[in-house]
């Protein structure tokens, strides 16, 4: 087995030649960087809490704003990962809407006279859709409050917010501004900042929970890497990821990571646990790896177990893998070829930062198995680290 750390420790020239200069290190550093993200929030907690108060988040229920979480691609999955948590913690109407949908349909998402808080997530802060949406909303709907979470201090989105009273920019540490094509550190750290926002007035109670995530993450990195490397050697033609609730975002992000890092050589799909039966199950075959992210909630987990059993009984796929709480391993092991345990007992809403490790590592090892360069697998420039500019209408 090739430990993740062995890639990180390669000589510079070898890492550069293999396209491993950034991706392994950016995956490996994640648990430790979450502490830095929490520290950044704590440094600005008073200002952030005051801004949220001004936006109406702590007002009486009927006066609270509708919260819209915005991003494109992986940043959209950040938004989806946080939707349930923010709704629960803030008691607001919260929805995740991709900037790729907002840009051409902006007016359809806004009810005039309603109070809004828009939170935009963007690694670079320079995504064409994100910049254009923010620019247009600031001009056309000046009453909407905005928070921008980015990993890039010189982001265009940050510059747009300068001098705007009802806008607040949060810049994460430059170390999580991933240099590789695929977002890894930036994904989990923007989620951690979102979790901080959810607990903005009670951050002291979140700190021990984050420490549990850090310790579980350190443990999971090694076990997930071993399993991902073993799977990559099978050269599966396609991989299907499923998850429910907050973990549906992990299924989507995992599918994207494998697709990106293998330059589409492995076809991927994602669905919800219950949604798979409504047509998409037809895509499963004997060349498919099936990955299920299992809820820590007993009722939700039962749906996942039944799906794994059904797929096994129908002999639909080559292999079934479940990722979930250690406490569920005994119940799920008979219904999958491998169960990857997560050694922490937290609500599903906090788990995306952990579960996604398996998708990230699967993308890395599959990329290597296909003799690609994980840092820049798209040799023909089909996709880029930051989406190329296009005409805005």
């Amino acid at each position: 087995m090739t430990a993740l750390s062995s890639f990180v420790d390669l000589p510079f020239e070898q890492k550069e030649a293999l396209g491993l200069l950034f991706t392994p290190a950016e995956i490996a550093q994640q648990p430790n960087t979450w502490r830095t993200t929490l520290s950044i929030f704590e440094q600005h907690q008073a200002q952030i809490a005051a801004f949220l108060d001004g936006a109406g988040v702590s007002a009486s229920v009927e006066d609270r704003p509708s919260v819209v979480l915005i991003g494109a691609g992986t940043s959209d999955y950040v938004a989806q990962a946080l939707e349930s948590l923010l709704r629960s913690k803030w008691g607001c109407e919260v929805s995740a809407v991709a900037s790729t949908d907002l840009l051409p349909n902006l007016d359809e998402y806004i009810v005039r006279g309603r109070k809004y808080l828009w939170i935009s997530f963007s690694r670079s802060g320079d995504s064409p859709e994100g910049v254009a949406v923010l620019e247009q909303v600031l001009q056309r709907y000046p009453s909407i409050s905005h928070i921008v979470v980015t990993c890039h201090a010189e982001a265009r989105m940050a510059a747009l917010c300068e001098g705007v009273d009802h806008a607040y920019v949060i810049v994460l540490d430059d170390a999580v501004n991933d240099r590789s094509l695929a977002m890894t550190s930036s994904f989990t750290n923007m989620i951690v900042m979102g979790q901080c926002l959810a607990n903005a007035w009670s951050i002291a109670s979140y700190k021990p929970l984050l420490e549990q995530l850090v310790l579980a993450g350190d443990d999971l990195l090694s076990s997930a890497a071993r399993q991902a490397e073993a799977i990559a050697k099978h050269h599966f033609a396609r991989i299907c990821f499923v998850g429910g609730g907050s973990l549906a975002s992990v299924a989507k992000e995992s599918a994207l990571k494998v697709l990106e890092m293998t330059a589409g050589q492995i076809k991927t799909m994602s669905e919800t646990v219950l949604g798979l039966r409504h047509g998409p199950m037809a895509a499963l075959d004997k060349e498919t790896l099936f990955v299920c992210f299992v809820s820590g909630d007993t009722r939700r987990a039962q749906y996942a177990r039944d799906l794994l059993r059904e797929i096994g009984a129908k002999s639909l796929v080559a292999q079934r893998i479940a990722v979930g709480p250690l406490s569920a391993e005994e119940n799920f092991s008979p219904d999958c070829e491998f169960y990857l345990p997560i050694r922490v007992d937290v609500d599903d809403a906090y788990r995306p930062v952990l579960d996604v490790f398996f998708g990230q590592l699967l993308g890395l090892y599959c990329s290597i198995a296909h003799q690609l360069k994980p840092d820049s697998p798209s040799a023909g420039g089909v996709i880029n680290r930051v989406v190329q500019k296009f005409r805005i209408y």
Side-chain angles (χ1 to χ4, degrees):
M1 291 293 179
T2 308
L4 185 60
S5 60
S6 67
F7 293 135
V8 178
D9 295 335
L10 287 172
F12 178 88
E13 293 77 9
Q14 192 174 353
K15 286 192 288 188
E16 188 174 39
L18 294 172
L20 294 169
L21 196 57
F22 302 117
T23 309
E26 288 167 353
I27 293 174
Q29 73 177 357
Q30 288 176 99
N32 192 52
T33 59
W34 299 341
R35 294 189 177 109
T36 302
T37 294
L38 172 61
S39 177
I40 290 171
F41 178 85
E42 288 181 308
Q43 292 169 31
H44 303 280
Q45 180 185 8
Q47 300 97 306
I48 293 172
F51 183 86
L52 293 173
D53 286 336
V57 175
S58 59
S60 57
V61 173
E62 60 272 15
D63 293 326
R64 291 175 192 170
S66 294
V67 179
V68 182
L69 309 177
I70 305 162
T74 289
S75 296
D76 177 37
Y77 305 150
V78 170
Q80 293 180 36
L82 292 166
E83 183 177 359
S84 175
L85 179 65
L86 287 170
R87 184 184 299 116
S88 172
K89 286 289 187 177
W90 287 359
C92 293
E93 176 187 336
V94 180
S95 58
V97 183
S99 56
T100 48
D101 289 331
L102 275 172
L103 182 58
N105 307 293
L106 184 60
D107 294 333
E108 297 176 12
Y109 283 97
I110 296 175
V111 177
R112 291 186 180 275
R114 180 170 293 176
K115 183 184 293 185
Y116 287 99
L117 168 61
W118 285 23
I119 306 178
S120 297
F121 298 93
S122 176
R123 170 177 66 174
S124 68
D126 292 327
S127 167
E129 299 93 343
V131 171
V133 165
L134 182 59
E135 193 168 37
Q136 291 182 16
V137 173
L138 287 172
Q139 292 174 355
R140 293 161 53 186
Y141 299 96
S143 64
I144 292 178
S145 297
H146 296 272
I147 292 177
V148 172
V149 179
T150 182
C151 307
H152 181 204
E154 304 300 321
R156 173 66 178 149
M157 293 174 71
L160 287 172
C161 293
E162 289 181 7
V164 179
D165 291 338
H166 56 282
Y168 194 96
V169 177
I170 301 173
V171 180
L172 304 188
D173 190 75
D174 185 63
V176 303
N177 184 13
D178 302 312
R179 271 61 176 181
S180 59
L181 179 140
M183 291 172 60
T184 54
S185 282
S186 53
F187 176 76
T188 60
N189 276 277
M190 285 194 287
I191 291 177
V192 168
M193 181 54 72
Q195 293 177 359
C196 290
L197 289 171
N199 294 276
W201 296 274
S202 57
I203 199 65
S205 64
Y206 173 67
K207 289 181 70 173
L209 191 155
L210 180 68
E211 195 58 31
Q212 290 182 60
L213 294 176
V214 169
L215 296 176
D218 285 333
D219 174 79
L220 184 61
L221 275 173
S222 57
S223 59
R226 289 193 298 270
Q227 187 60 23
E229 183 185 19
I231 289 169
K233 293 176 180 177
H234 290 285
H235 288 277
F236 291 109
R238 56 187 61 86
I239 305 178
C240 174
F241 297 90
V242 300
S246 298
L247 300 179
S249 65
V250 178
K252 293 177 182 179
E253 173 63 3
S254 296
L256 179 59
K257 289 290 89 78
V258 175
L259 192 68
E260 285 179 325
M261 282 196 256
T262 64
Q265 292 188 36
I266 296 179
K267 307 304 179 185
T268 64
M269 60 183 287
S270 63
E271 253 299 345
T272 60
V273 171
L274 295 182
L276 189 71
R277 294 187 181 91
H278 291 261
M281 191 179 283
L284 305 184
D285 62 19
K286 286 295 189 178
E287 294 184 276
T288 303
L289 170 68
F290 183 77
V291 180
C292 179
F293 296 101
V294 177
S295 172
D297 176 81
T298 301
R299 177 171 170 270
R300 295 173 190 162
Q302 288 173 333
Y303 289 116
R305 188 181 59 189
D306 288 349
L307 179 61
L308 284 162
R309 285 178 176 174
E310 180 179 343
I311 288 172
K314 292 179 177 178
S315 299
L316 293 180
V317 301
Q319 189 172 341
R320 296 162 298 166
I321 291 181
V323 181
L326 177 62
S327 59
E329 183 172 11
E330 185 176 347
N331 287 335
F332 274 80
S333 290
D335 300 305
C336 57
E337 281 67 49
F338 185 82
Y339 187 93
L340 181 63
I342 296 175
R343 301 178 187 278
V344 65
D345 183 18
V346 296
D347 190 273
D348 288 356
Y350 290 102
R351 270 184 44 199
V353 296
L354 294 174
D355 291 60
V356 77
F357 283 2
F358 185 61
Q360 294 174 348
L361 289 162
L362 204 51
L364 171 65
Y365 283 100
C366 285
S367 184
I368 294 168
H370 281 76
Q371 299 183 328
L372 297 170
K373 296 182 177 182
D375 288 348
S376 53
S378 185
V382 175
I383 55 175
N384 299 277
R385 179 178 176 275
V386 179
V387 172
Q388 292 179 316
K389 292 182 179 180
F390 55 86
R391 182 178 295 180
I392 302 295
Y393 297 96

